[in-house]
Amino acid sequence: MKNLYLLPAIFLMITGCGSYTSLIKYQKLPDDVYANNNLKEYLKNNNSPKIVLRVPNTNDKATSNTIINQNNNVLYNAIEKELLKEGFNVRDRGLFNEIMDKSKSADYSKLGEETDTDLILEVISINTDILYSTNKITLVNNGNAAESSNITPINYKKPGAAVEFRLIMVRKNEVAGNYKYNYTPCPNGCPLTDWTYNKHTKALELKETVTVNALEEFITRCTGDLVKSFKS
């Protein structure tokens, strides 16, 4: 409880002189992106490759297009829409799964012939349980937008996210790229007043998770960045 009593004093100390906005900002984790030269060379010679999205834990069928998690379905659709915008020929993932289920081969090159597919983009994971924490408060001077910061005895916590992809060149039966993108919460800073004190963890935190809308925007941007990484 000691930290709780410190909060009013800390808040007055950092906002008492002049007109400031107190924000919480987090350091961005670096993305991890790799695409091999075979993939880059292939895409130079193929302007509209046929690609299918493979997703984890799905019962997706061509007729019903059902999926275990409806929120994830929104994210998967966002990936496919972005691939279409980037000029890819996006194959029906439900039909692809049906053919895979019936096929006796685990060889991607043979599956490529059976499904008429050039590339598979696998969603390895979408993790929304990555906790960010900082004890630094950023002060923005409302008069001239200058920033300064204060270190406090309080930890400010907020959930972030990460998405991991794997890209497979089907006919070569080759993993051609691995990608991990990190979603950092409060990209423009979140107001200090958004946090509440948790007496059990003795920390200020937000209970809310990353919203589906924020994730959809993040996933769309990641897909665009992914395409740029192996076309550059």
Side-chain angles (χ1 to χ4, degrees):
M1 295 295 291
K2 183 178 179 181
N3 285 344
L4 180 59
Y5 296 127
L6 286 173
L7 294 181
I10 292 171
F11 185 77
L12 288 173
M13 177 181 68
I14 63 179
T15 60
C17 299
S19 177
Y20 289 91
T21 298
S22 301
L23 301 175
I24 302 300
K25 294 184 177 182
Y26 297 99
Q27 184 175 357
K28 188 183 187 315
L29 294 176
D31 298 326
D32 187 6
V33 174
Y34 169 76
N36 69 21
N37 290 329
N38 288 341
L39 175 62
K40 294 180 180 181
E41 189 64 29
Y42 171 79
L43 290 170
K44 285 180 182 178
N45 302 314
N46 295 271
N47 295 325
S48 184
K50 299 166 185 175
I51 191 169
V52 66
L53 184 69
R54 289 204 67 199
V55 301
N57 301 322
T58 177
N59 293 324
D60 198 10
K61 299 298 180 182
T63 53
S64 61
N65 196 33
T66 58
I67 198 163
I68 293 174
N69 189 316
Q70 189 62 38
N71 288 342
N72 280 355
N73 200 31
V74 172
L75 304 181
Y76 302 148
N77 287 339
I79 296 170
E80 291 177 329
K81 287 178 183 177
E82 188 63 20
L83 290 172
L84 285 168
K85 289 180 183 178
E86 294 288 348
F88 287 83
N89 185 340
V90 179
R91 315 298 282 175
D92 187 297
R93 66 177 184 263
L95 181 59
F96 182 89
N97 287 340
E98 286 186 354
I99 295 174
M100 278 197 67
D101 290 343
K102 295 175 182 178
S103 176
K104 296 180 180 180
S105 174
D107 188 328
Y108 277 124
S109 60
K110 293 181 179 179
L111 286 172
E113 295 175 2
E114 294 175 4
T115 61
D116 190 23
T117 302
D118 302 315
L119 301 170
I120 298 174
L121 180 61
E122 292 185 345
V123 179
I124 299 172
S125 67
I126 298 175
N127 187 350
T128 58
D129 293 325
I130 299 174
L131 190 62
Y132 283 71
S133 179
T134 184
N135 64 348
K136 185 169 73 173
I137 298 175
T138 299
L139 306 176
V140 179
N141 189 316
N142 296 329
N144 56 24
E147 291 188 1
S148 61
S149 62
N150 278 307
I151 303 299
T152 79
I154 307 299
N155 289 318
Y156 298 88
K157 299 181 179 182
K158 186 172 173 63
V163 58
E164 293 187 62
F165 298 100
R166 179 189 295 120
L167 192 67
I168 297 168
M169 296 178 67
V170 178
R171 300 184 194 278
K172 287 183 175 288
N173 206 29
E174 176 183 359
V175 176
N178 287 284
Y179 311 84
K180 181 178 180 180
Y181 296 98
N182 294 296
Y183 172 80
T184 306
C186 301
N188 300 314
C190 289
L192 177 63
T193 51
D194 285 355
W195 272 259
T196 56
Y197 184 77
N198 185 322
K199 65 181 181 180
H200 300 293
T201 62
K202 296 183 179 179
L204 284 167
E205 57 188 33
L206 290 175
K207 293 296 185 182
E208 65 189 35
T209 58
V210 183
T211 66
V212 175
N213 287 342
L215 271 178
E216 183 179 7
E217 182 179 338
F218 166 65
I219 288 285
T220 299
R221 185 172 66 253
C222 289
T223 306
D225 290 344
L226 183 151
V227 172
K228 290 176 185 176
S229 76
F230 52 67
K231 280 191 172 182
S232 60

